[in-house]
Amino acid sequence: QVQLVESGGGLVQAGGSLRLSCAASGSIFSINGMAWYRQAPGKQRELVATITRGGIGNYADSVKGRFTVSRDNAKNTVYLQMNSLKPEDTATYYCNADTVLRDSYARINYWGKGTLVTVSS
């Protein structure tokens, strides 16, 4: 009923920047909080950043000062601007949306399939 599609991943050198996007589509009434997670090979998925519907962001300590989360409610899209990238940022990045469905008003958490970010040293 709802699809989340991430884009913007790729290969970048340490110190470089990337901007990830995640667009939600489908039977959406509204989206509450949105978030970015990441999972490195052999590691557990970890929270990177969250953003409220009103635009208030929170960050993992490991990315504070380097990453900025934002959203466009009209487009049901969340962004992650990643600057000063480090090799340890290498991971698959997933977006998450706390969604209220249009017809049923059910509240369901959806995940995207992820986009790979590789930071070379």
Side-chain angles (χ1 to χ4, degrees):
Q1 289 176 305
V2 173
Q3 298 79 40
L4 300 182
V5 179
E6 301 97 336
S7 61
L11 174 64
V12 63
Q13 287 189 332
S17 298
L18 283 174
R19 188 189 193 214
L20 305 183
S21 299
C22 172
S25 62
S27 183
I28 299 169
F29 175 74
S30 67
I31 300 178
N32 299 316
M34 303 184 81
W36 287 97
Y37 288 75
R38 67 185 181 187
Q39 187 167 18
K43 295 188 177 181
Q44 289 188 331
R45 190 172 296 189
E46 63 174 356
L47 179 64
V48 175
T50 63
I51 185 166
T52 65
R53 182 169 178 80
I56 298 173
N58 279 287
Y59 303 90
D61 287 344
S62 58
V63 306
K64 278 182 182 176
R66 299 188 298 123
F67 291 10
T68 302
V69 62
S70 60
R71 63 190 286 175
D72 184 333
N73 291 332
K75 296 181 179 179
N76 289 327
T77 299
V78 63
Y79 306 95
L80 187 67
Q81 177 67 43
M82 306 186 295
N83 299 329
S84 302
L85 283 161
K86 304 175 181 179
E88 51 263 44
D89 294 318
T90 294
T92 298
Y93 284 71
Y94 300 89
C95 71
N96 175 274
D98 178 10
T99 307
V100 177
L101 300 183
R102 185 187 305 138
D103 296 327
S104 64
Y105 299 105
R107 186 172 176 178
I108 300 177
N109 211 263
Y110 287 96
W111 290 89
K113 293 184 178 181
T115 185
L116 178 62
V117 172
T118 304
V119 184
S120 63
S121 58

